[in-house]
Amino acid sequence: MFERNDDVLYICYDNEAYMNTGVQRSSATPPGARTATTMAVGEHPGAEFGQGKNLPRIAMAHGIPFVATATVADLRDLEAKVEKAMGLHGARYLHILVPCPLGWGAAAHDTIRLARLACQTGLFPVFEAEHGDVSHVTKIRHRVPVQEYLRPQKRFAHLFGTPGHPEMLARIQADADRNIRRFGLLDEASEPESETVPAGGLAPGEAAGQARPGRGA
């Protein structure tokens, strides 16, 4: 569809696993997460690092007219992106993060908070891209460490406690930092809430797109 630039709007409802069939790992399952097929056992419990797929970036690589990400924490942003996509022709891709209380092991009333924290940590960048180039990003207003997002979810419970897996938390934090640098999610004047947050692996100044203030991050 993407390589042919078919006139289709593809909306991905992303809850990060195959939830309807028993919470099995999918290519969208984040590293370290426990699922029915990635148990919290062994030296490196949960889903493995480096095996997932970043679908928005795959779509961008095809240079299609429009790619965007959104979450259920900011419905106005989501509505605006759907409206924009509907007004375009060619292949369009919209990726929506939707926490699953059952599969994530989180309270239903925390659904919106978790979606917001995914953005505030940098683990889920909210942006738009046109013809392969990032055109708008939603800046992080209040940056938080990944632990604040992971701890309320039972699928990550094995990363905490004694002894826990601080080395895996550090790798997840590094992924968030890499997203922040890649997409330019922080203003230069913004200060992270934790000075112990490790830096990502990209060169300084690798930021893309034009900032647009966001309601949900």
Side-chain angles (χ1 to χ4, degrees):
M1 182 191 102
F2 291 158
E3 65 183 27
R4 295 188 302 270
N5 196 29
D6 291 338
D7 191 19
V8 175
L9 170 56
Y10 189 116
I11 298 179
C12 176
Y13 180 103
D14 181 14
N15 52 27
E16 299 189 333
Y18 293 113
M19 297 301 181
N20 289 338
T21 56
V23 194
Q24 295 88 4
R25 176 201 173 273
S26 76
S27 60
T29 300
R34 182 200 67 201
T35 71
T37 52
T38 57
M39 302 302 291
V41 296
E43 185 177 353
H44 302 289
E48 294 189 24
F49 286 82
Q51 290 192 349
K53 295 180 180 179
N54 190 314
L55 295 181
R57 292 182 64 198
I58 291 174
M60 286 174 59
H62 288 78
I64 62 176
F66 186 68
V67 175
T69 62
T71 79
V72 292
D74 191 345
L75 295 182
R76 291 185 180 180
D77 176 67
L78 174 57
E79 181 181 10
K81 287 171 177 172
V82 171
E83 184 176 359
K84 180 174 181 177
M86 292 293 290
L88 300 172
H89 294 284
R92 293 144 290 157
Y93 178 74
L94 181 56
H95 191 109
I96 307 170
L97 179 68
V98 186
C100 175
L102 178 62
W104 290 22
H109 64 256
D110 280 337
T111 297
I112 300 302
R113 182 170 76 94
L114 287 174
R116 185 174 295 117
L117 285 171
C119 302
Q120 291 174 333
T121 57
L123 286 173
F124 189 83
V126 177
F127 67 92
E128 296 179 16
E130 300 178 33
H131 302 285
D133 294 322
V134 174
S135 54
H136 296 284
V137 297
T138 298
K139 294 287 189 177
I140 296 175
R141 293 182 177 180
H142 305 289
R143 185 183 182 187
V144 297
V146 296
Q147 287 91 331
E148 291 194 25
Y149 168 66
L150 302 177
R151 194 181 294 274
Q153 306 176 51
K154 292 182 180 178
R155 61 177 179 162
F156 293 109
H158 53 280
L159 302 183
F160 300 94
T162 304
H165 289 274
E167 76 288 352
M168 294 179 67
L169 289 171
R171 291 185 68 179
I172 296 171
Q173 182 66 64
D175 287 343
D177 296 341
R178 187 176 297 111
N179 286 336
I180 288 171
R181 294 191 179 196
R182 175 178 286 132
F183 291 96
L185 299 178
L186 284 178
D187 290 321
E188 292 183 3
S190 298
E191 292 292 337
E193 292 194 5
S194 173
E195 294 298 330
T196 62
V197 174
L202 296 185
E206 185 175 351
Q210 173 183 349
R212 183 180 63 186
R215 293 170 49 84

